[in-house]
Amino acid sequence: MAVHMTRSNEIQGSAAGRLLDMLLPRPSSTFLLRSADAPGSILVVDRAVPPTEGRKAVLSTERGLRLATLDSRFDSSRVWGVVTWVIREPS
Amino acid sequence: MGHPGAVLKPCADLLALCDCNNFFVSCERLFRPDLEGRPVVVLSSNDGVVISRSNEIKALGVKMGEPFFRVRSFLERHGAAVFSSNFRLYEEVSARVMASLRRFTPSMEVYSVDEAFLEIPPEGKKKPGEWALDVRAAVLRQTGIPVSVGAAPTKTAAKLAAERAKKRPETGGGFALLPGDPWEDLLGEVPVEDVWGIGRRWSDFLRRRGISTALRLRDAPDDRLEKYLGIRGLRTAWELRGIRCFPIEEREKPQKSIQSSRSFAVPVRDRESLAEAVTEFTLTAGRRLRSQNSLAGSLSVSISTSRFRGSFFGARAEVTLETPTDSDITLMRAAAGALSSIYREGHDYEKAEICLGSLSSAGTVQLRLFGKREDRGAALSRAADRLNGEAGRRLLLPAALLGEKEWHPRKDRHSGMGLEDLEKLPVISAEE
């Protein structure tokens, strides 16, 4: 399965198109990642969203990208992107 | 030819070149912040030669195009990260960079996978240097890819400005060569072969005649330039004088020919394996042909052995197609015929190439699944393109290509990551 970030004319305006617009409003700055701790789920990460306290975010670290919740002392230069959606199966 | 200044005024308008820094390496680093500051290289298909280098690798003196086997232990000693090329990832990242750039300009030309020319909008023209830095910051924030932006009145000058922005950290990644500013210092430092469109082809010739820098090229007399280099070369010199000769070409020009070729992981001897490879390349070329809505009027096949081992053998055959076509079935048949006319037993083939030529526009051809044989083939090929495109991989392919192929490129160091295929998304863990 491939998710094309560019919308084809065929799905524009359809339910599928509107769902993609909701999940990926800014395709050029949005990345899909998977979480090692929740197999099967997909993280939607937008690099253009300004990070704020309390949000889930992906951080750049010397050991790679890490998922974290931003506390009051977060360093914005280390924020790779902000998690805007988590797509997962109901538990 | 008289002096151009009489009729052609230096251009007051500005354009920009946006060039991704060490693009393939930057793509590999996108999800690997641990590689920041470390030496990283990307190898060509089949892990043959170095095709992208991080700044740390450049500082170590490893050259572009260096065969990997020659620098392998050197790279290991310096703790370099080595990647096989992942062209699907690079294309996906490129599409985002280009989408990100489009918001900054009314008109843009995607020049290559990692470069685009942009018309600078009116608000940017007041302070082009600042505009260049804004573009760089936005692309980096949105896509994670560092770029250099050069602003100038002409494409040839914008190329040099972007190069300066890339090489000098103090520019912050943006640099402007403005009309009326003195360009002599910069042009005097640029070797003539580094001027866009000059390259190795002409530089030896020019150097022998004392034209060794961009500045000397700019100031050479027109009649000499036209005699040496033709009209294209003369225009290059005019562009260095600030006279715009090459406009931004927004519409992607359909390619005049389409190539598909690769080096094999292991040398191929037998006819069947070589035919399989040629069939696969034909399908790749066919897909590109249909995606630009063209028909091919001719097809050529080239095969060759290694230039480094044993005695060299290479051969090429060209077939003119009865009617221009975009049907995989017709193309595959023509390729098989061409191959059998040049194949010789007893050689270790290392490379094969398919080239589709005499391209014409497919226009608005009605495709009928039950029409003539040729139409059916074309309709089938388009249906396969669609299915494979939606699946994000090769779902539908000729039975001849099923199974493991020993000649497939070796990709031992492939990151395996992609942005769009859900099976290839990067996996991250929670912070401890």
Side-chain angles (χ1 to χ4, degrees), chain B residues 32-148:
Chain B
R32 296 284 307 271
D34 53 307
L35 295 179
E36 218 50 62
R38 270 186 58 191
V40 181
V41 295
V42 174
L43 304 175
S44 62
S45 74
N46 201 24
D47 294 354
V49 300
V50 172
I51 55 169
S52 183
R53 305 165 297 160
S54 70
N55 291 344
E56 298 76 17
I57 291 286
K58 291 176 187 173
L60 287 171
V62 176
K63 296 273 174 284
M64 198 73 164
E66 192 91 67
F68 178 50
F69 72 87
R70 257 186 229 157
V71 288
R72 184 178 186 155
S73 57
F74 176 81
L75 291 172
E76 272 166 16
R77 274 204 307 283
H78 286 91
V82 179
F83 289 95
S84 303
S85 44
N86 179 354
F87 287 113
R88 174 165 289 216
L89 173 68
Y90 308 154
E91 276 172 23
E92 289 168 350
V93 174
S94 169
R96 280 156 194 251
V97 170
M98 299 307 167
S100 171
L101 286 173
R102 267 184 212 287
R103 275 179 253 159
F104 282 92
T105 174
S107 172
M108 172 169 133
E109 174 184 347
V110 177
Y111 184 65
S112 70
V113 70
D114 58 354
E115 290 169 292
F117 289 106
L118 286 71
E119 190 184 301
I120 301 186
E123 67 271 20
K125 279 174 193 153
K126 289 175 204 137
K127 290 185 172 168
E130 280 176 29
W131 180 85
L133 292 173
D134 287 349
V135 171
R136 178 190 146 82
V139 174
L140 182 60
R141 190 181 66 244
Q142 291 170 15
T143 68
I145 299 297
V147 298
S148 303

Side-chain angles (χ1 to χ4, degrees), chain B residues 127-346:
Chain B
K127 290 185 172 168
E130 280 176 29
W131 180 85
L133 292 173
D134 287 349
V135 171
R136 178 190 146 82
V139 174
L140 182 60
R141 190 181 66 244
Q142 291 170 15
T143 68
I145 299 297
V147 298
S148 303
V149 182
T154 68
K155 280 182 170 178
T156 310
K159 275 265 193 188
L160 298 181
E163 201 53 39
R164 171 64 53 115
K166 183 180 290 185
K167 291 232 171 87
R168 301 271 176 100
E170 68 271 20
T171 62
F175 189 77
L177 275 173
L178 301 178
D181 283 359
W183 296 8
E184 284 74 12
D185 286 351
L186 187 149
L187 296 185
E189 288 172 21
V190 176
V192 72
E193 58 269 22
D194 289 355
V195 174
W196 187 43
I198 297 294
R200 281 261 153 253
R201 186 160 59 110
W202 280 336
S203 66
D204 290 344
F205 179 86
L206 289 170
R207 278 178 177 278
R208 280 198 297 276
R209 282 153 186 83
I211 302 174
S212 53
T213 65
L215 184 63
R216 292 196 170 180
L217 181 68
R218 183 195 76 171
D219 295 340
D222 282 355
D223 52 349
R224 278 178 72 200
L225 286 172
E226 194 178 8
K227 198 173 110 207
Y228 295 161
L229 309 174
I231 191 71
R232 164 100 206 178
L234 178 62
R235 286 181 177 158
T236 296
W238 285 7
E239 287 236 324
L240 293 175
R241 297 172 197 164
I243 298 160
R244 192 178 291 185
C245 300
F246 308 125
I248 290 183
E249 291 173 17
E250 196 168 345
R251 277 181 58 88
E252 237 178 286
K253 262 194 263 171
Q255 287 170 283
K256 292 203 184 78
S257 66
I258 294 173
Q259 279 108 5
S260 174
S261 71
R262 264 197 319 228
S263 303
F264 305 136
V266 288
V268 172
R269 270 187 104 83
D270 66 296
R271 187 189 295 259
E272 286 72 38
S273 301
L274 199 57
E276 266 174 23
V278 164
T279 301
E280 169 128 4
F281 300 163
T282 307
L283 291 177
T284 303
R287 186 165 45 77
R288 297 227 301 270
L289 181 73
R290 291 185 293 278
S291 77
Q292 70 170 51
N293 206 30
S294 296
L295 301 174
S298 68
L299 175 150
S300 71
V301 176
S302 319
I303 50 175
S304 60
T305 63
S306 170
R307 286 182 192 279
F308 301 112
R309 276 185 286 266
S311 63
F312 177 75
F313 173 78
R316 178 176 179 278
E318 184 164 344
V319 183
T320 305
L321 299 162
E322 224 166 276
T323 52
T325 184
D326 62 357
S327 159
D328 280 341
I329 296 167
T330 312
L331 295 174
M332 284 187 321
R333 213 171 274 146
L339 176 65
S340 56
S341 74
I342 50 174
Y343 175 82
R344 296 285 173 275
E345 261 174 53

Side-chain angles (χ1 to χ4, degrees), chain A residues 1-5 10 27-37 47 59 61-68 80, chain B residues 30-31 33-34 96 99 103 140-144 386 389 391-392 420-422 425-432:
Chain A
M1 230 292 272
V3 178
H4 297 296
M5 294 293 181
E10 281 166 46
S28 60
S29 61
T30 304
F31 293 83
L32 304 179
L33 283 79
R34 288 192 184 271
S35 157
D37 308 296
R47 291 178 52 94
L59 302 180
T61 79
E62 292 96 55
R63 280 161 302 144
L65 295 178
R66 292 287 185 271
L67 188 62
W80 189 90
Chain B
L30 183 53
F31 303 111
D34 53 307
R96 280 156 194 251
R103 275 179 253 159
L140 182 60
R141 190 181 66 244
Q142 291 170 15
T143 68
R386 226 188 99 114
E420 298 191 348
D421 187 336
L422 295 185
L425 301 180
V427 180
I428 64 168
S429 45
E431 201 176 37
E432 298 83 79

